[in-house]
Amino acid sequence: MSPPVENHLMHYRPMAIEDYDAAVALWLSTQGVRLRDADSREGIARYLQRNPCLSFVA
C-alpha cells in the first residue's frame, strides 16, 4: 500500500473497506449519484482487492 499523500488542504489515501459506510453516505447525499448492486459492501471489497490503490478517500 502506498503511503498517504498530503497537501495543505486535505489528506489523501487509498480507500479501504473500512471507509465504505462514509463513502456510501457521501454518495447518497450527492445529487445525481446512483448506487447499483455492484456498490454493495461486498462488491466494493472485491473491487478494492482487484484494483489496489486506484480508489482514494480524502
Side-chain angles (χ1 to χ4, degrees), residues 1-24:
M1 186 176 275
S2 301
V5 177
E6 292 188 49
N7 70 19
H8 294 100
L9 301 175
M10 286 190 195
H11 171 79
Y12 297 90
R13 63 174 172 74
M15 183 178 179
I17 196 59
E18 293 79 18
D19 300 309
Y20 179 80
D21 292 334
V24 167

Side-chain angles (χ1 to χ4, degrees), residues 23-45:
V24 167
L26 175 64
W27 299 336
L28 290 174
S29 70
T30 304
Q31 185 176 352
V33 174
R34 292 175 157 185
L35 298 182
R36 304 176 340 182
D37 291 341
D39 298 320
S40 68
R41 179 180 289 277
E42 295 79 17
I44 296 295

